[in-house]
Amino acid sequence: AQSVSQHNHHVILSEAASLELGCNYSYGGTVNLFWYVQYPGQHLQLLLKYFSGDPLVKGIKGFEAEFIKSKFSFNLRKPSVQWSDTAEYFCAVNAPERTGGGNKLTFGTGTQLKVEL
Amino acid sequence: EAQVTQNPRYLITVTGKKLTVTCSQNMNHEYMSWYRQDPGLGLRQIYYSMNVEVTDKGDVPEGYKVSRKEKRNFPLILESPSPNQTSLYFCASSWAFSGLAGAIQETQYFGPGTRLLVL
């Protein structure tokens, strides 16, 4: 079965520091990749997604992610974090060929980011 | 406003007492899904539905039922809740855009969550 790994479970940064959150997946075929964010007490919101084309995708709030197929990775980056970026971040993968038509998302376990003033 | 709504948002119940968590979307999405979120485990899919009257199991379907009688609604039913079903539940919906291999690739939109405690 496909799996998604997020190796950083808790990250603490100071404001203006750069952020990189790792995401690796296990499936070798065609994948669709997502990063979702969950602010405290809120539901998941889409940050960015990759379906095809340019492997460097830009999302909302200054976030970007790079799909590196050879490394099975889709790391999330932001050059300068803000206190308001404090949230939990989830990487998710959909492998259409494996799910036989189902839009099944497999999520990583999440990375809790805390940005200190 | 385009949204996915869930009710109730918070629920405390006792073991064995049947309950239903409702989910409704106003975006005319074909695809709907239920997830549970547990600390250290991320989100895991319980059931999904490709369209009206079409449902299938996700990764953790045991102890749950769903139905899809109308396009906009996708209730989650716990016939006999147990403490291990204490969790945060999210409903999601998306378009069913046919892409590679006839499969679905579209962004899922999530509801606000239902926090369930089973005593």
Side-chain angles (χ1 to χ4, degrees):
Chain A
Q2 65 199 49
S3 65
V4 180
S5 298
Q6 291 181 244
H7 304 294
N8 313 104
H9 298 296
H10 292 90
V11 174
I12 301 174
L13 294 172
S14 299
E15 268 206 327
S18 64
L19 169 72
E20 180 159 3
L21 300 182
C23 173
N24 289 90
Y25 61 93
S26 63
Y27 181 59
T30 302
V31 290
N32 303 317
L33 300 156
F34 304 82
W35 275 98
Y36 282 88
V37 60
Q38 187 177 29
Y39 298 104
Q42 296 189 28
H43 61 283
L44 280 84
Q45 302 171 42
L46 181 71
L47 267 182
L48 48 79
K49 62 186 179 184
Y50 172 80
F51 282 176
S52 63
D54 188 345
L56 182 63
V57 293
K58 295 191 184 300
I60 60 171
K61 305 187 180 186
F63 286 91
E64 65 177 33
E66 185 174 12
F67 170 50
I68 304 180
K69 190 173 182 178
S70 61
K71 295 185 178 180
F72 299 91
S73 70
F74 190 56
N75 292 354
L76 180 71
R77 299 194 292 248
K78 186 171 183 178
S80 175
V81 294
Q82 300 173 304
W83 177 80
S84 58
D85 292 325
T86 294
E88 190 159 17
Y89 293 80
F90 292 93
C91 181
V93 174
N94 167 239
E97 295 158 358
R98 284 287 295 269
T99 57
N103 196 7
K104 177 175 178 290
L105 281 176
T106 299
F107 282 85
T109 54
T111 297
Q112 188 70 51
L113 171 66
K114 181 178 179 183
V115 180
E116 296 178 332
L117 294 170
Chain B
E1 181 190 354
Q3 59 183 348
V4 180
T5 57
Q6 296 178 227
N7 282 292
R9 295 289 312 281
Y10 303 91
L11 180 59
I12 301 175
T13 189
V14 296
T15 298
K17 186 175 181 182
K18 181 180 177 179
L19 66 92
T20 299
V21 183
T22 64
C23 172
S24 183
Q25 50 92 6
N26 62 1
M27 295 169 277
N28 204 33
H29 287 165
E30 293 92 352
Y31 182 90
M32 297 185 76
S33 180
W34 276 103
Y35 295 86
R36 60 177 288 174
Q37 182 182 13
D38 301 291
L41 297 176
L43 282 84
R44 294 175 293 168
Q45 191 180 53
I46 303 170
Y47 268 94
Y48 66 92
S49 169
M50 302 283 281
N51 213 323
V52 175
E53 301 291 1
V54 181
T55 64
D56 207 348
K57 296 177 181 178
D59 292 323
V60 288
E62 293 78 19
Y64 304 94
K65 283 175 57 176
V66 292
S67 70
R68 188 88 182 275
K69 293 186 172 62
E70 304 165 282
K71 198 171 187 179
R72 63 183 291 128
N73 296 323
F74 189 47
L76 179 70
I77 303 155
L78 284 72
E79 293 271 2
S80 182
S82 61
N84 64 12
Q85 292 177 298
T86 292
S87 187
L88 177 58
Y89 292 85
F90 288 100
C91 181
S93 72
S94 72
W95 296 109
F97 171 71
S98 183
L100 276 172
I104 310 301
Q105 348 173 357
E106 258 301 338
T107 303
Q108 290 187 37
Y109 296 89
F110 285 80
T114 295
R115 193 168 288 281
L116 172 65
L117 172 61
V118 183
L119 301 172

